[in-house]
Amino acid sequence: MAQPAMNPWRFIASGFGSGLAPKAPGTFGSLAGLVIGCLLLLAGHIALLAGIVVSCAIGLYAIGRLPEANEDPGWIVIDEIAGQMIPLLALYEFSIWGALLSFALFRLFDIWKPGPVAWADRRKDEWGIMGDDIIAGLMAWLVMLLLHLVSPL
């Protein structure tokens, strides 16, 4: 079956094309989120928070416009982009180690899907598609906040 034609909603949902990687599209989407999030963090936490809110809102809207979204196809990665930016909020300032830790923790929770992540993942609509990654991002953020108790990030 041929891929549907690219349109603005597919382009956004595919993470600006990062989700079209032939292997591991979720990881490529997360990497895109990491780069975008780090650039926003360099501009400040308010810019990063605004980026998260905007990516969530646009992601929900774009996914809701795609008829095949109820199957949660792997190429939809705007959710990974939004979710990956969340744990970066725990960093006092940009650091390579902090960025790598946020990436590793987000991917861990996104792949492992503990408790509430799995619950959201079972929804096969735009709220479930975005929700599981937002929850995974929040869980990674909480772990990073706890790590501040033992080490500055």
Side-chain angles (χ1 to χ4, degrees):
M1 186 166 128
Q3 265 296 65
M6 186 60 71
N7 64 40
W9 305 124
R10 284 185 206 295
F11 184 67
I12 291 168
S14 72
F16 316 105
S18 62
L20 302 176
K23 296 202 188 256
T27 299
F28 279 93
S30 296
L31 286 170
L34 185 66
V35 170
I36 294 166
C38 287
L39 291 172
L40 290 170
L41 179 60
L42 289 171
H45 285 83
I46 299 297
L48 177 57
L49 184 59
I52 293 166
V53 170
V54 167
S55 65
C56 287
I58 290 174
L60 282 167
Y61 190 82
I63 293 167
R65 302 297 167 272
L66 301 173
E68 68 273 21
N70 62 351
E71 301 165 15
D72 194 3
W75 60 265
I76 294 179
V77 296
I78 188 67
D79 50 332
E80 272 86 3
I81 290 173
Q84 177 60 70
M85 290 193 284
I86 294 171
L88 293 171
L89 286 169
L91 299 177
Y92 296 132
E93 59 187 26
F94 171 78
S95 75
I96 294 291
W97 293 114
L100 291 175
L101 180 61
S102 79
F103 179 79
L105 287 170
F106 172 73
R107 290 305 292 154
L108 171 72
F109 291 122
D110 187 29
I111 293 166
W112 176 30
K113 299 201 184 310
V117 180
W119 170 80
D121 189 56
R122 285 191 290 275
R123 286 186 62 141
K124 298 300 179 190
D125 61 2
E126 60 268 31
W127 293 99
I129 292 170
M130 289 295 295
D132 72 318
D133 292 288
I134 299 306
I135 296 168
L138 289 169
M139 293 174 92
W141 173 71
L142 284 172
V143 169
M144 290 186 66
L145 288 178
L146 289 172
L147 289 173
H148 278 300
L149 298 173
V150 295
S151 172
L153 297 174

